């Protein structure tokens, strides 16, 4: 019904020479009058899902319509984010963009089923979350210096898990290996959950993952944290150094999680989505949960988020080229 009404408005505007802006304004004034779908391109339980559900809960109250999380995992986020790109550009389908979907994937996939720039309208970044390099306690190392020394003494013997070939976890470790001058053997899995299971069992020696997902296992002693990928140390792991502190200046930025819509969504609708997300991020419960997972709020404008996406694409294109990663 809404699409039909907007089509009639558009026809009327053309017939009488009225500005099309009035159609967009009408769409924004009534938006949303039904639930909004928020596609998460990763499985339930991970950091992307956690942040999306917290945001959706608060935005639902602000918008007066339910924001429903829809997990569509697979292919390193490619399946879910492609669904966002193909959705009707009316604002009722939006998605969680990550450094994987808009940084690592464009760098490593030769035939990506979406264009990370042309197919999306950025809404706002939401949060930056550190990632952490962890090892099995079975490994006879207490810090990163000892890990590097062990890896250099036995090139290729130590293994690291990742959520899949070309995933962010894979690309980040490839960059680390290049900078540290070591060789680890990559063991790709179908998702971060499977990778973490084998890391916990000691089947693989190491992995890198978002801090919120790994923190319970670090606290319980089932995994040992050696380095954090973020500008500063995490208050949740105050004794664990950053990569920068360890001498790896190029590794200073963790992952982020933001909202995008399909290209073509009317600007007033994007504005309303951005405003509601920013209001949600000011909610005391949201702010407290952000602190608990060592997150850093990153509310910004669509133009600013678009610039962050371009910068991340350039960064990971350089890393993928240096490590010769192509899928």
């Amino acid at each position: 019904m809404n699409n039909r009404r907007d089509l009639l408005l558009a026809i009327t505007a053309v017939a009488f020479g009225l500005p099309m802006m009035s159609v967009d304004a009408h769409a924004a004034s009534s938006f949303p009058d039904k639930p909004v779908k928020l596609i998460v391109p990763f499985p339930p339980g991970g950091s992307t899902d956690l942040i999306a559900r917290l945001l959706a809960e608060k935005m639902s109250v602000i918008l007066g319509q339910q924001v429903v999380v829809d997990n569509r995992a697979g292919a390193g986020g490619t399946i879910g984010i492609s669904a966002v790109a193909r959705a009707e550009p009316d604002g009722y389908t939006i998605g969680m963009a990550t450094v994987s979907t808009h940084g690592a994937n464009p760098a490593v996939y030769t035939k990506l089923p979406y264009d990370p720039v042309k197919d999306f309208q950025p809404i706002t970044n939401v949060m930056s979350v550190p990632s952490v390099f962890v090892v099995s306690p079975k490994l006879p190392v207490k810090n990163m210096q000892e890990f590097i020394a062990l890896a250099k003494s036995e090139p290729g013997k130590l293994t690291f898990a990742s959520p899949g070939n070309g995933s962010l976890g894979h690309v980040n470790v490839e960059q680390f290996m290049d900078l540290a001058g070591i060789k680890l053997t990559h063991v790709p899995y179908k998702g971060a959950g499977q990778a973490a299971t084998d890391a916990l069992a000691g089947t693989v020696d190491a992995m890198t993952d978002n801090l919120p997902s790994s923190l319970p296992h670090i606290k319980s002693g089932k995994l040992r944290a050696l380095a954090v990928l973020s500008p500063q140390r995490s208050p949740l792991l105050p004794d664990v150094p950053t990569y920068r502190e360890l001498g790896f200046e190029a590794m200073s930025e963790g992952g982020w999680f933001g909202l995008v819509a399909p290209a073509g969504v009317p600007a007033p609708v994007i504005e309303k989505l951005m405003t509601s997300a920013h209001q949600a991020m000011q909610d005391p419960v949201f702010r407290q949960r952000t602190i608990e997972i060592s997150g850093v709020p990153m509310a910004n404008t669509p133009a600013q988020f678009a610039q962050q996406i371009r910068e991340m694409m350039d960064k990971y294109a350089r890393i993928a080229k240096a490590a010769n990663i192509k899928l």
Side-chain angles (χ1 to χ4, degrees):
M1 183 65 70
N2 294 331
N3 290 341
R4 183 179 179 183
R5 179 187 60 202
D6 290 343
L7 178 60
L8 289 173
L9 281 168
I11 293 172
T12 302
V14 172
F16 290 94
L18 300 176
M20 287 298 293
M21 181 166 43
S22 63
V23 179
D24 285 355
H26 180 82
S29 66
S30 62
F31 178 88
D33 57 10
K34 63 181 180 180
V36 175
K37 182 186 298 181
L38 174 53
I39 294 179
V40 176
F42 296 99
S47 298
T48 313
D49 180 68
L50 184 156
I51 294 166
R53 290 182 185 278
L54 182 59
L55 187 67
E57 178 185 349
K58 303 305 177 185
M59 286 181 66
S60 295
V61 176
I62 296 165
L63 291 170
Q65 289 285 347
Q66 189 175 9
V67 178
V68 182
V69 173
D70 181 3
N71 294 90
R72 299 197 193 181
T78 298
I79 293 174
I81 208 67
S82 294
V84 178
R86 294 191 301 267
E88 186 75 19
D90 55 10
Y92 287 97
T93 299
I94 57 179
M96 290 296 293
T98 70
V99 175
S100 290
T101 63
H102 283 70
N105 287 356
V108 302
Y109 284 96
T110 54
K111 294 183 178 180
L112 202 62
Y114 62 89
D115 186 305
V117 174
K118 295 180 180 179
D119 290 346
F120 300 93
Q121 170 58 55
I123 299 171
T124 179
N125 208 332
V126 175
M127 189 186 303
S128 172
V129 174
S131 63
V132 60
F133 187 90
V134 294
V135 298
S136 167
K138 295 179 181 180
L139 214 60
V141 298
K142 300 296 183 183
N143 53 52
M144 185 60 85
Q145 291 87 344
E146 292 181 0
F147 179 84
I148 292 173
L150 181 60
K152 287 184 174 179
S153 70
E154 301 177 301
K157 182 176 180 180
L158 298 182
T159 57
F160 77 94
S162 85
N165 282 310
S167 65
L168 186 62
H170 176 201
V171 177
N172 278 342
V173 177
E174 289 284 356
Q175 182 186 23
F176 168 59
M177 287 194 293
D178 180 60
L179 295 171
I182 61 175
K183 176 63 178 175
L184 309 175
T185 296
H186 179 215
V187 183
Y189 289 81
K190 293 182 179 180
Q194 294 181 13
T197 296
D198 274 9
L200 288 166
T203 306
V204 289
D205 298 308
M207 70 174 292
T208 185
D209 195 11
N210 291 317
L211 179 56
S213 305
S214 296
L215 188 61
H217 307 306
I218 295 169
K219 293 294 188 182
S220 69
K222 294 179 181 178
L223 292 173
R224 180 175 295 138
L226 302 187
V228 173
L229 183 58
S230 64
Q232 296 87 29
R233 291 194 185 198
S234 166
L236 301 180
L237 296 173
D239 297 328
V240 180
T242 65
Y243 281 95
R244 177 181 287 174
E245 288 180 87
L246 294 169
F248 306 111
E249 288 289 334
M251 300 186 69
S252 60
E253 186 177 2
W256 44 246
F257 307 83
L259 290 177
V260 294
V265 174
V269 173
I270 294 294
E271 177 77 16
K272 186 169 285 189
L273 288 166
M274 180 197 73
T275 300
S276 65
H278 288 182
Q279 290 177 5
M281 293 163 65
Q282 293 300 315
D283 181 271
V285 174
F286 188 98
R287 292 172 68 89
Q288 179 58 37
R289 193 71 183 99
T290 298
I291 294 171
E292 290 172 358
I293 63 175
S294 201
V296 178
M298 297 189 75
N300 57 13
T301 66
Q304 290 168 335
F305 189 25
Q307 179 62 28
Q308 287 179 321
I309 289 172
R310 287 191 292 268
E311 290 173 354
M312 198 58 65
M313 289 173 61
D314 291 343
K315 172 185 174 179
Y316 279 96
R318 293 192 298 270
I319 295 172
K321 183 177 180 180
N324 194 29
I325 307 174
K326 280 295 179 184
L327 299 175

